[in-house]
Amino acid sequence: MPPFRLVFLGFGNVGQALLQLCMDKRDELRQSFGIEWSTVGIVTARHGSAIDPRGIDPDRALAMAAAGESLAPLSRRQAPPDPLAFIHDCEADMLLENTPVNYADGQPAAAHLRAGLERGMHAITANKGPVVHAYRELTVRAAALGRRFLFEATVMGGTPIFSLWRTALLGARLLSFRGILNSTTNLILSRMEAGASFDDAVAQAQALGIAETDPRGDTQGWDAAIKVAALVTVLMDQPLKPSAVPRQGIENLQPEDIAAAARQGARWKLVCHAEQTPDGVSASVAPQMVDPADPLFSVMGTSAAVTFTTDVLGPLTIRESESPSISGPRSTAYGLLADMISAVRGT
Ligand SMILES: NC(=O)c1ccc[n+]([C@@H]2O[C@H](COP(=O)([O-])OP(=O)(O)OC[C@H]3O[C@@H](n4cnc5c(N)ncnc54)[C@H](OP(=O)(O)O)[C@@H]3O)[C@@H](O)[C@H]2O)c1
Protein backbone atom coordinates (compact mmCIF):
# COMPACT_ATOMS: atom_id res chain seq x y z
CA MET A 1 0.00 0.00 0.00
CA PRO A 2 1.41 3.47 -0.82
CA PRO A 3 2.18 5.65 2.22
CA PHE A 4 -0.54 7.90 3.65
CA ARG A 5 0.41 11.41 2.66
CA LEU A 6 0.19 13.81 5.61
CA VAL A 7 -0.18 17.58 5.56
CA PHE A 8 0.51 19.49 8.76
CA LEU A 9 -1.45 22.75 8.92
CA GLY A 10 0.14 24.46 11.92
CA PHE A 11 3.48 23.17 13.13
CA GLY A 12 3.81 24.46 16.69
CA ASN A 13 3.81 22.48 19.94
CA VAL A 14 1.15 20.02 18.84
CA GLY A 15 2.09 19.65 15.17
CA GLN A 16 5.72 18.96 16.05
CA ALA A 17 4.75 16.54 18.85
CA LEU A 18 2.53 14.68 16.38
CA LEU A 19 5.27 14.34 13.78
CA GLN A 20 7.64 13.11 16.49
CA LEU A 21 5.05 10.61 17.72
CA CYS A 22 4.48 9.34 14.16
CA MET A 23 8.24 8.78 13.93
CA ASP A 24 8.44 7.09 17.34
CA LYS A 25 5.59 4.76 16.37
CA ARG A 26 6.53 4.16 12.76
CA ASP A 27 7.15 0.43 13.31
CA GLU A 28 3.99 -0.07 15.42
CA LEU A 29 1.90 1.73 12.83
CA ARG A 30 3.25 -0.52 10.08
CA GLN A 31 3.09 -3.78 12.01
CA SER A 32 -0.22 -3.33 13.88
CA PHE A 33 -2.21 -1.27 11.40
CA GLY A 34 -0.46 -1.60 8.05
CA ILE A 35 0.05 2.17 8.00
CA GLU A 36 3.03 3.71 6.24
CA TRP A 37 3.14 7.49 6.15
CA SER A 38 4.99 10.33 4.53
CA THR A 39 4.84 14.09 5.20
CA VAL A 40 4.10 15.90 1.96
CA GLY A 41 3.25 19.35 3.30
CA ILE A 42 3.79 21.64 6.28
CA VAL A 43 2.12 25.05 6.59
CA THR A 44 2.86 27.69 9.23
CA ALA A 45 1.92 31.34 9.61
CA ARG A 46 5.34 32.96 10.05
CA HIS A 47 7.82 30.09 9.66
CA GLY A 48 7.34 29.33 5.99
CA SER A 49 5.72 26.38 4.30
CA ALA A 50 7.05 23.33 2.52
CA ILE A 51 5.61 21.01 -0.08
CA ASP A 52 7.24 17.85 -1.40
CA PRO A 53 5.23 15.01 -2.96
CA ARG A 54 8.21 12.70 -2.44
CA GLY A 55 8.23 13.33 1.30
CA ILE A 56 9.75 15.96 3.58
CA ASP A 57 12.55 14.73 5.84
CA PRO A 58 10.83 14.70 9.27
CA ASP A 59 14.05 14.96 11.27
CA ARG A 60 15.08 18.08 9.36
CA ALA A 61 11.63 19.59 9.71
CA LEU A 62 11.64 19.07 13.47
CA ALA A 63 15.19 20.38 13.86
CA MET A 64 14.42 23.50 11.82
CA ALA A 65 11.19 24.14 13.72
CA ALA A 66 12.98 23.71 17.06
CA ALA A 67 15.59 26.25 15.89
CA GLY A 68 12.84 28.68 14.87
CA GLU A 69 13.98 28.56 11.23
CA SER A 70 11.79 28.91 8.16
CA LEU A 71 10.71 25.57 6.67
CA ALA A 72 10.76 26.99 3.13
CA PRO A 73 14.15 25.39 2.24
CA LEU A 74 12.48 21.98 2.64
CA SER A 75 10.11 22.74 -0.21
CA ARG A 76 10.63 20.96 -3.55
CA ARG A 77 8.73 23.75 -5.29
CA GLN A 78 7.32 27.13 -4.38
CA ALA A 79 4.68 26.49 -1.69
CA PRO A 80 1.61 28.75 -1.84
CA PRO A 81 1.79 30.93 1.30
CA ASP A 82 -1.99 30.99 1.69
CA PRO A 83 -3.24 27.82 3.49
CA LEU A 84 -6.31 27.46 1.26
CA ALA A 85 -4.20 27.68 -1.89
CA PHE A 86 -1.72 25.26 -0.31
CA ILE A 87 -4.47 22.70 0.36
CA HIS A 88 -5.71 23.00 -3.20
CA ASP A 89 -2.16 22.59 -4.49
CA CYS A 90 -1.28 19.56 -2.36
CA GLU A 91 -2.17 15.91 -3.07
CA ALA A 92 -2.60 14.28 0.34
CA ASP A 93 -4.66 11.79 2.34
CA MET A 94 -4.83 13.51 5.75
CA LEU A 95 -4.99 17.11 6.84
CA LEU A 96 -3.70 17.51 10.40
CA GLU A 97 -4.98 20.92 11.48
CA ASN A 98 -3.31 22.35 14.61
CA THR A 99 -3.55 26.12 14.45
CA PRO A 100 -4.68 28.45 17.28
CA VAL A 101 -8.29 28.39 18.40
CA ASN A 102 -10.71 31.12 17.37
CA TYR A 103 -13.45 31.14 20.04
CA ALA A 104 -15.71 33.49 18.05
CA ASP A 105 -16.27 31.58 14.81
CA GLY A 106 -13.73 28.76 14.46
CA GLN A 107 -12.21 30.37 11.34
CA PRO A 108 -10.08 30.05 9.32
CA ALA A 109 -9.60 26.47 10.59
CA ALA A 110 -13.15 25.37 9.69
CA ALA A 111 -12.70 26.59 6.11
CA HIS A 112 -9.31 24.84 5.88
CA LEU A 113 -10.75 21.56 7.14
CA ARG A 114 -13.64 21.80 4.67
CA ALA A 115 -11.17 22.45 1.83
CA GLY A 116 -9.13 19.42 2.92
CA LEU A 117 -12.21 17.19 2.85
CA GLU A 118 -13.13 18.49 -0.59
CA ARG A 119 -9.60 17.69 -1.79
CA GLY A 120 -10.12 14.06 -0.64
CA MET A 121 -8.31 14.26 2.71
CA HIS A 122 -9.45 13.08 6.12
CA ALA A 123 -9.70 16.17 8.34
CA ILE A 124 -8.23 15.76 11.83
CA THR A 125 -7.78 18.54 14.36
CA ALA A 126 -6.86 19.43 17.93
CA ASN A 127 -8.55 22.81 17.44
CA LYS A 128 -11.81 23.26 19.35
CA GLY A 129 -13.06 26.15 17.19
CA PRO A 130 -14.21 24.07 14.20
CA VAL A 131 -15.90 21.55 16.52
CA VAL A 132 -18.19 24.08 18.19
CA HIS A 133 -18.77 26.19 15.10
CA ALA A 134 -18.87 23.64 12.26
CA TYR A 135 -19.33 20.14 13.73
CA ARG A 136 -22.47 19.20 11.86
CA GLU A 137 -21.44 20.76 8.59
CA LEU A 138 -17.98 19.14 8.56
CA THR A 139 -19.28 15.76 9.72
CA VAL A 140 -21.98 15.68 7.05
CA ARG A 141 -19.56 16.89 4.39
CA ALA A 142 -16.98 14.26 5.38
CA ALA A 143 -19.57 11.47 5.25
CA ALA A 144 -20.77 12.58 1.81
CA LEU A 145 -17.18 12.50 0.56
CA GLY A 146 -16.29 9.16 2.21
CA ARG A 147 -13.85 10.86 4.56
CA ARG A 148 -13.74 11.55 8.31
CA PHE A 149 -13.76 14.69 10.44
CA LEU A 150 -12.21 13.68 13.79
CA PHE A 151 -11.18 15.77 16.80
CA GLU A 152 -10.37 13.50 19.77
CA ALA A 153 -7.52 15.76 20.89
CA THR A 154 -9.76 18.79 21.47
CA VAL A 155 -11.01 17.84 24.96
CA MET A 156 -8.65 16.25 27.54
CA GLY A 157 -5.95 15.81 24.86
CA GLY A 158 -5.40 12.18 24.01
CA THR A 159 -7.78 10.81 26.64
CA PRO A 160 -10.53 8.95 24.78
CA ILE A 161 -13.78 10.86 25.10
CA PHE A 162 -15.34 11.22 21.65
CA SER A 163 -14.09 7.80 20.47
CA LEU A 164 -15.36 6.24 23.69
CA TRP A 165 -18.85 7.49 22.87
CA ARG A 166 -18.49 6.68 19.18
CA THR A 167 -17.30 3.10 19.62
CA ALA A 168 -18.10 1.86 23.13
CA LEU A 169 -21.01 3.77 24.71
CA LEU A 170 -23.25 2.87 21.79
CA GLY A 171 -26.93 3.50 22.49
CA ALA A 172 -26.24 5.29 25.80
CA ARG A 173 -27.83 8.72 26.24
CA LEU A 174 -25.77 11.42 27.95
CA LEU A 175 -27.85 13.14 30.61
CA SER A 176 -25.16 15.28 32.22
CA PHE A 177 -21.45 15.70 32.77
CA ARG A 178 -19.30 17.45 35.31
CA GLY A 179 -15.55 17.79 35.34
CA ILE A 180 -12.28 19.66 35.33
CA LEU A 181 -11.45 20.22 31.67
CA ASN A 182 -8.89 23.04 31.86
CA SER A 183 -5.60 21.81 33.26
CA THR A 184 -3.92 25.25 33.31
CA THR A 185 -6.38 26.68 35.83
CA ASN A 186 -6.24 23.45 37.81
CA LEU A 187 -2.47 23.80 38.02
CA ILE A 188 -2.78 27.48 39.04
CA LEU A 189 -5.27 26.60 41.80
CA SER A 190 -3.03 23.74 42.97
CA ARG A 191 -0.04 26.13 43.16
CA MET A 192 -2.12 28.74 45.02
CA GLU A 193 -3.09 26.04 47.53
CA ALA A 194 0.64 25.44 48.03
CA GLY A 195 1.03 29.13 48.93
CA ALA A 196 1.73 30.92 45.62
CA SER A 197 -0.06 34.16 44.71
CA PHE A 198 -2.29 34.16 41.61
CA ASP A 199 0.36 36.01 39.56
CA ASP A 200 3.16 33.69 40.72
CA ALA A 201 1.03 30.62 39.98
CA VAL A 202 0.32 31.94 36.47
CA ALA A 203 4.03 32.65 35.97
CA GLN A 204 4.87 29.10 37.07
CA ALA A 205 2.33 27.66 34.61
CA GLN A 206 3.85 29.84 31.87
CA ALA A 207 7.37 28.70 32.75
CA LEU A 208 6.22 25.10 32.34
CA GLY A 209 4.90 25.98 28.88
CA ILE A 210 1.32 25.19 29.93
CA ALA A 211 -0.14 28.70 30.11
CA GLU A 212 0.10 31.03 27.12
CA THR A 213 1.78 34.44 27.26
CA ASP A 214 -1.72 35.87 27.52
CA PRO A 215 -3.27 33.42 30.01
CA ARG A 216 -6.76 34.95 29.97
CA GLY A 217 -8.21 32.29 27.65
CA ASP A 218 -7.65 29.90 30.54
CA THR A 219 -8.06 32.11 33.60
CA GLN A 220 -11.29 33.74 32.36
CA GLY A 221 -12.79 30.32 31.64
CA TRP A 222 -12.94 30.57 27.83
CA ASP A 223 -11.02 27.35 27.22
CA ALA A 224 -13.25 25.51 29.69
CA ALA A 225 -16.38 27.01 28.10
CA ILE A 226 -15.42 25.97 24.57
CA LYS A 227 -14.75 22.43 25.83
CA VAL A 228 -18.19 22.34 27.47
CA ALA A 229 -19.65 23.59 24.19
CA ALA A 230 -17.78 20.89 22.24
CA LEU A 231 -19.02 18.08 24.50
CA VAL A 232 -22.61 19.36 24.42
CA THR A 233 -22.52 19.91 20.65
CA VAL A 234 -21.17 16.45 19.86
CA LEU A 235 -22.28 14.15 22.68
CA MET A 236 -25.68 15.72 23.39
CA ASP A 237 -26.22 16.66 19.74
CA GLN A 238 -27.21 20.20 20.73
CA PRO A 239 -25.24 22.97 19.04
CA LEU A 240 -23.89 25.27 21.74
CA LYS A 241 -21.53 28.21 21.28
CA PRO A 242 -18.91 29.03 23.92
CA SER A 243 -20.38 32.52 24.32
CA ALA A 244 -23.69 30.90 25.38
CA VAL A 245 -22.05 29.04 28.30
CA PRO A 246 -22.44 31.07 31.54
CA ARG A 247 -18.79 31.50 32.47
CA GLN A 248 -16.83 32.60 35.47
CA GLY A 249 -13.05 32.21 35.56
CA ILE A 250 -10.67 31.96 38.50
CA GLU A 251 -9.35 35.55 38.42
CA ASN A 252 -11.44 36.68 41.39
CA LEU A 253 -10.32 33.87 43.68
CA GLN A 254 -8.08 35.37 46.37
CA PRO A 255 -5.47 33.56 48.48
CA GLU A 256 -7.85 34.10 51.44
CA ASP A 257 -10.56 32.11 49.60
CA ILE A 258 -8.13 29.25 49.01
CA ALA A 259 -7.02 29.33 52.65
CA ALA A 260 -10.61 29.46 53.94
CA ALA A 261 -11.48 26.37 51.86
CA ALA A 262 -8.41 24.56 53.18
CA ARG A 263 -9.48 25.28 56.79
CA GLN A 264 -12.73 23.44 56.01
CA GLY A 265 -10.86 20.54 54.42
CA ALA A 266 -12.07 21.65 50.97
CA ARG A 267 -10.52 23.21 47.87
CA TRP A 268 -11.52 25.34 44.88
CA LYS A 269 -11.83 23.85 41.39
CA LEU A 270 -12.94 25.35 38.07
CA VAL A 271 -15.90 23.07 37.42
CA CYS A 272 -17.46 22.45 34.01
CA HIS A 273 -21.03 21.23 33.99
CA ALA A 274 -23.87 20.54 31.58
CA GLU A 275 -27.16 18.73 31.86
CA GLN A 276 -30.18 17.98 29.75
CA THR A 277 -33.28 19.77 31.04
CA PRO A 278 -36.86 19.81 29.72
CA ASP A 279 -36.01 23.20 28.17
CA GLY A 280 -32.75 22.14 26.48
CA VAL A 281 -29.25 22.04 27.87
CA SER A 282 -28.11 23.96 30.91
CA ALA A 283 -24.33 24.47 31.03
CA SER A 284 -21.83 26.40 33.15
CA VAL A 285 -18.20 27.01 33.98
CA ALA A 286 -17.53 28.34 37.48
CA PRO A 287 -15.23 27.92 40.47
CA GLN A 288 -16.71 25.59 43.08
CA MET A 289 -15.54 24.61 46.53
CA VAL A 290 -15.36 20.80 46.57
CA ASP A 291 -14.93 18.50 49.57
CA PRO A 292 -13.01 15.19 49.79
CA ALA A 293 -16.12 13.15 48.89
CA ASP A 294 -16.20 14.83 45.48
CA PRO A 295 -14.39 12.88 42.70
CA LEU A 296 -12.86 16.19 41.57
CA PHE A 297 -11.22 16.88 44.96
CA SER A 298 -8.13 14.76 44.24
CA VAL A 299 -7.66 15.99 40.65
CA MET A 300 -4.54 18.11 41.10
CA GLY A 301 -2.02 19.93 38.91
CA THR A 302 -2.41 19.31 35.19
CA SER A 303 -4.69 16.30 35.72
CA ALA A 304 -8.22 16.40 34.30
CA ALA A 305 -11.38 14.38 34.84
CA VAL A 306 -14.98 14.20 33.72
CA THR A 307 -17.92 12.23 35.11
CA PHE A 308 -20.69 11.24 32.69
CA THR A 309 -24.22 10.45 33.83
CA THR A 310 -26.15 8.36 31.33
CA ASP A 311 -29.53 6.62 31.16
CA VAL A 312 -27.94 3.17 31.34
CA LEU A 313 -24.89 3.24 33.66
CA GLY A 314 -23.98 4.63 37.03
CA PRO A 315 -21.71 7.70 36.99
CA LEU A 316 -18.75 7.00 34.74
CA THR A 317 -15.56 8.96 35.45
CA ILE A 318 -12.68 9.32 32.99
CA ARG A 319 -9.56 10.74 34.56
CA GLU A 320 -6.12 11.50 33.20
CA SER A 321 -3.47 12.04 35.84
CA GLU A 322 -0.46 14.23 35.20
CA SER A 323 2.75 12.43 34.39
CA PRO A 324 6.22 13.95 34.68
CA SER A 325 7.41 11.90 31.71
CA ILE A 326 4.65 12.75 29.19
CA SER A 327 4.25 16.35 28.04
CA GLY A 328 0.86 17.93 27.29
CA PRO A 329 1.58 18.23 23.55
CA ARG A 330 2.61 14.58 23.35
CA SER A 331 -0.63 13.35 24.93
CA THR A 332 -2.57 15.73 22.65
CA ALA A 333 -0.61 14.33 19.70
CA TYR A 334 -1.71 10.86 20.76
CA GLY A 335 -5.36 11.93 20.34
CA LEU A 336 -4.55 12.96 16.77
CA LEU A 337 -2.65 9.74 16.09
CA ALA A 338 -5.58 7.68 17.38
CA ASP A 339 -7.84 9.65 15.02
CA MET A 340 -5.48 8.95 12.12
CA ILE A 341 -5.73 5.22 12.82
CA SER A 342 -9.53 5.48 13.21
CA ALA A 343 -9.78 7.26 9.87
CA VAL A 344 -7.77 4.56 8.13
CA ARG A 345 -9.72 1.72 9.76
CA GLY A 346 -13.13 3.42 9.53
CA THR A 347 -13.78 3.09 13.29
N1 LIG B 1 -0.68 22.68 23.36
C1 LIG B 1 -1.50 21.71 23.80
O1 LIG B 1 -1.10 20.90 24.64
C2 LIG B 1 -2.89 21.58 23.23
C3 LIG B 1 -3.79 20.67 23.81
C4 LIG B 1 -5.06 20.49 23.22
C5 LIG B 1 -5.42 21.23 22.12
N2 LIG B 1 -4.54 22.16 21.61
C6 LIG B 1 -4.94 22.92 20.44
O2 LIG B 1 -4.07 22.61 19.36
C7 LIG B 1 -3.93 23.75 18.50
C8 LIG B 1 -2.43 24.04 18.32
O3 LIG B 1 -1.86 24.33 19.58
P1 LIG B 1 -0.28 24.57 19.72
O4 LIG B 1 0.02 24.57 21.16
O5 LIG B 1 0.46 23.65 18.81
O6 LIG B 1 -0.17 26.05 19.12
P2 LIG B 1 1.17 26.80 18.65
O7 LIG B 1 2.36 26.19 19.28
O8 LIG B 1 0.90 28.25 18.83
O9 LIG B 1 1.26 26.48 17.07
C9 LIG B 1 0.31 26.99 16.16
C10 LIG B 1 0.83 26.74 14.75
O10 LIG B 1 -0.15 27.21 13.83
C11 LIG B 1 0.47 28.08 12.88
N3 LIG B 1 -0.56 29.01 12.41
C12 LIG B 1 -1.18 29.99 13.10
N4 LIG B 1 -2.13 30.57 12.34
C13 LIG B 1 -2.09 29.94 11.14
C14 LIG B 1 -2.79 30.09 9.93
N5 LIG B 1 -3.77 30.99 9.79
N6 LIG B 1 -2.47 29.28 8.89
C15 LIG B 1 -1.49 28.35 9.02
N7 LIG B 1 -0.78 28.16 10.14
C16 LIG B 1 -1.08 28.94 11.18
C17 LIG B 1 1.61 28.70 13.63
O11 LIG B 1 2.56 29.21 12.72
P3 LIG B 1 3.89 29.96 13.27
O12 LIG B 1 4.76 28.87 13.84
O13 LIG B 1 4.52 30.55 12.07
O14 LIG B 1 3.42 30.93 14.29
C18 LIG B 1 2.11 27.49 14.40
O15 LIG B 1 2.92 26.69 13.57
C19 LIG B 1 -4.72 24.89 19.17
O16 LIG B 1 -5.98 24.99 18.58
C20 LIG B 1 -4.83 24.43 20.62
O17 LIG B 1 -5.97 24.95 21.27
C21 LIG B 1 -3.29 22.33 22.13
Side-chain angles (χ1 to χ4, degrees):
M1 189 185 272
F4 284 91
R5 297 161 300 177
L6 313 181
V7 175
F8 289 77
L9 179 46
F11 199 56
N13 297 308
V14 173
Q16 292 170 46
L18 177 59
L19 182 56
Q20 185 64 57
L21 188 61
C22 287
M23 290 167 67
D24 296 346
K25 289 194 171 281
R26 196 184 273 280
D27 291 344
E28 280 167 83
L29 289 170
R30 181 190 308 115
Q31 285 156 16
S32 302
F33 304 104
I35 297 175
E36 297 278 5
W37 59 270
S38 149
T39 302
V40 297
I42 304 178
V43 191
T44 74
R46 296 163 296 135
H47 291 87
S49 298
I51 194 164
D52 187 346
R54 287 194 242 166
I56 293 166
D57 178 346
D59 284 312
R60 274 192 76 199
L62 287 170
M64 290 166 85
E69 294 170 14
S70 168
L71 302 175
L74 295 173
S75 206
R76 185 162 290 276
R77 58 184 158 85
Q78 182 74 33
D82 170 61
L84 269 184
F86 189 103
I87 292 164
H88 286 293
D89 200 31
C90 192
E91 296 274 341
D93 302 296
M94 289 196 197
L95 179 64
L96 304 161
E97 197 285 331
N98 297 299
T99 65
V101 62
N102 177 339
Y103 295 109
D105 63 8
Q107 297 296 358
H112 295 157
L113 289 162
R114 188 186 319 112
L117 290 169
E118 285 167 356
R119 281 287 284 143
M121 305 176 203
H122 295 295
I124 295 172
T125 188
N127 184 343
K128 296 161 278 286
V131 179
V132 297
H133 292 287
Y135 164 66
R136 280 193 183 163
E137 182 215 329
L138 292 174
T139 302
V140 168
R141 196 79 192 110
L145 293 162
R147 291 290 173 267
R148 302 292 295 281
F149 167 52
L150 296 172
F151 41 80
E152 184 61 80
T154 54
V155 178
M156 286 177 70
T159 305
I161 302 289
F162 297 110
S163 58
L164 181 76
W165 280 86
R166 193 170 72 236
T167 62
L169 291 171
L170 300 172
R173 187 150 47 88
L174 180 58
L175 304 177
S176 69
F177 65 82
R178 178 172 177 272
I180 294 172
L181 299 176
N182 179 267
S183 49
T184 303
T185 46
N186 204 50
L187 178 69
I188 292 169
L189 292 174
S190 298
R191 293 288 159 96
M192 287 176 75
E193 241 181 278
S197 68
F198 178 81
D199 289 342
D200 286 347
V202 170
Q204 288 174 24
Q206 285 167 330
L208 288 171
I210 294 164
E212 293 182 23
T213 314
D214 179 354
R216 288 175 296 179
D218 292 314
T219 58
Q220 295 182 350
W222 278 109
D223 178 78
I226 198 170
K227 287 172 174 164
V228 168
L231 292 179
V232 169
T233 298
V234 178
L235 302 182
M236 292 179 167
D237 199 21
Q238 306 252 2
L240 180 69
K241 300 285 181 272
S243 56
V245 177
R247 175 184 49 82
Q248 206 185 318
I250 62 165
E251 290 176 333
N252 293 331
L253 279 179
Q254 304 299 323
E256 306 83 71
D257 301 319
I258 310 277
R263 282 196 295 278
Q264 298 172 44
R267 53 175 55 124
W268 287 94
K269 295 291 181 191
L270 186 64
V271 176
C272 297
H273 174 255
E275 66 180 298
Q276 301 268 13
T277 72
D279 304 322
V281 173
S282 158
S284 65
V285 170
Q288 276 180 20
M289 205 161 73
V290 300
D291 63 30
D294 193 307
L296 301 183
F297 182 83
S298 61
V299 178
M300 297 299 283
T302 57
S303 304
V306 62
T307 299
F308 294 116
T309 307
T310 68
D311 60 338
V312 287
L313 297 172
L316 174 66
T317 299
I318 311 288
R319 170 175 174 154
E320 189 197 10
S321 299
E322 69 181 348
S323 159
S325 61
I326 299 178
S327 71
R330 188 166 172 91
S331 62
T332 300
Y334 170 66
L336 292 151
L337 185 82
D339 280 347
M340 289 166 61
I341 298 170
S342 284
V344 172
R345 301 176 92 196
T347 54

